[in-house]
Amino acid sequence: SITYVEESASFVCEITSGGNKIYSSAVKASVTPRPITVTTATDGKTYDGNPLSKQEYSITSTLGLVNGDAITGKEMVSSQTFAGSTDNTITDIVITRTVNSETKVVYSDTDTLVKDNYTIEVVEGTLTVNQRSITVKATDAEKTYNGAPLTSNGYTISSGSLVSGESIDEALLSFDGSITDAGSTPNTPSNCVIKNGSEDRTGNYNIHYENGTLTVNPKPLKITAGDGSKIYDGTALTVDSFSTPASLSSDTDYALVSGDRIDSVTISG
């Protein structure tokens, strides 16, 4: 009998009839390799700064290992840390059989003496790291009108989070928003760059942006109509003069902004 592919045996096949040999022929027997398929695991996760690996596999072919055989050696070193994917490879497969406490290697893809007992097809799974989603929101800002433009570089991460050790490069973060006169306007953030030390990790994030609002509120202004008096002469007394608080007075909150002037005012009385 023969067990392994590297073994062979010759036999003589005889056919007799009534005690007479009517046919005789030499026969050579051999064992052909057993085909199996080894499929490595597929796995995925959201980017967290740590490597993703999955050292699992299964035999997915109709034919499995011969009863008593087992995969006892393999090399699975694939990993994926940053956003993207890679094949989950398996190499250096070793199959052994233990009989009466004696272990025999029956397959090794690096040993030509036993490499032919199995033909192994490897179907590689995939290791996938997905981008981490965050939303960068420009913070709202407001002030009372003072003649100078209102801008703001403030922001928050309104949803999601950064991986520990990573931060937004605030020197590169941009805000498109400015308002001088009373009213409001959007403050739009852009160009968010995320780094770990000097390493750019932006590609690991799916970055969304949310506008803030810049608001300039009207400044209160006090206009005081002028006083007037005269001796009765039968004509109406009118006074067209008026005044506003000086910028250095105790009433400065109600004064004109420096550089502004009143073009016209209607006084009734």
Side-chain angles (χ1 to χ4, degrees):
S1 66
I2 58 174
T3 304
Y4 304 110
V5 170
E6 72 270 19
E7 299 173 344
S8 63
S10 296
F11 304 91
V12 175
C13 176
E14 295 183 347
I15 301 175
T16 61
S17 177
N20 297 316
K21 181 169 67 177
I22 61 174
Y23 176 82
S24 177
S25 177
V27 176
K28 184 175 182 179
S30 62
V31 176
T32 59
R34 186 178 184 88
I36 62 170
T37 301
V38 175
T39 301
T40 59
T42 289
D43 201 4
K45 70 172 183 177
T46 298
Y47 170 69
D48 62 4
N50 298 311
L52 169 67
S53 60
K54 192 77 169 178
Q55 296 189 4
E56 296 179 6
Y57 63 91
S58 59
I59 296 175
T60 56
S61 52
T62 302
L63 285 177
L65 293 173
V66 171
N67 188 32
D69 287 1
I71 294 178
T72 55
K74 65 187 185 304
E75 188 76 17
M76 296 184 73
V77 296
S78 298
S79 68
Q80 182 74 21
T81 299
F82 303 121
S85 60
T86 190
D87 293 333
N88 193 14
T89 61
I90 184 170
T91 59
D92 298 342
I93 295 174
V94 176
I95 301 173
T96 59
R97 168 184 288 268
T98 301
V99 178
N100 297 327
S101 300
E102 181 182 352
T103 299
K104 177 181 176 65
V105 175
V106 296
Y107 175 86
S108 171
D109 57 14
T110 60
D111 187 343
T112 57
L113 294 178
V114 292
K115 191 174 182 179
D116 293 332
N117 286 322
Y118 285 90
T119 56
I120 299 179
E121 177 188 8
V122 173
V123 177
E124 294 172 340
T126 303
L127 302 176
T128 302
V129 174
N130 300 307
Q131 287 182 316
R132 189 180 188 92
S133 290
I134 63 168
T135 299
V136 176
K137 182 186 185 305
T139 52
D140 298 335
E142 67 176 317
K143 71 173 184 177
T144 299
Y145 170 73
N146 64 356
L150 171 64
T151 61
S152 175
N153 293 336
Y155 70 93
T156 61
I157 297 177
S158 59
S159 68
S161 62
L162 297 176
V163 167
S164 176
E166 299 183 355
S167 60
I168 293 174
D169 189 333
E170 296 180 350
L172 300 177
L173 189 61
S174 299
F175 295 88
D176 182 14
S178 177
I179 185 170
T180 300
D181 298 326
S184 61
T185 190
N187 192 25
T188 305
S190 62
N191 195 42
C192 178
V193 176
I194 299 171
K195 292 185 176 181
N196 186 326
S198 61
E199 293 184 23
D200 190 335
R201 298 288 176 84
T202 309
N204 297 303
Y205 290 84
N206 182 18
I207 303 173
H208 305 274
Y209 296 97
E210 185 177 350
N211 293 343
T213 302
L214 302 176
T215 302
V216 174
N217 299 310
K219 186 181 190 301
L221 174 64
K222 181 186 286 187
I223 299 176
T224 303
D227 298 328
S229 66
K230 73 172 184 174
I231 297 173
Y232 172 71
D233 62 3
T235 62
L237 170 63
T238 60
V239 177
D240 293 332
S241 65
F242 63 90
S243 65
T244 61
S247 60
L248 298 179
S249 73
S250 61
D251 216 8
T252 185
D253 287 344
Y254 296 92
L256 281 169
V257 169
S258 177
D260 288 358
R261 60 185 173 82
I262 295 176
D263 281 339
S264 64
V265 64
T266 300
I267 301 175
S268 299

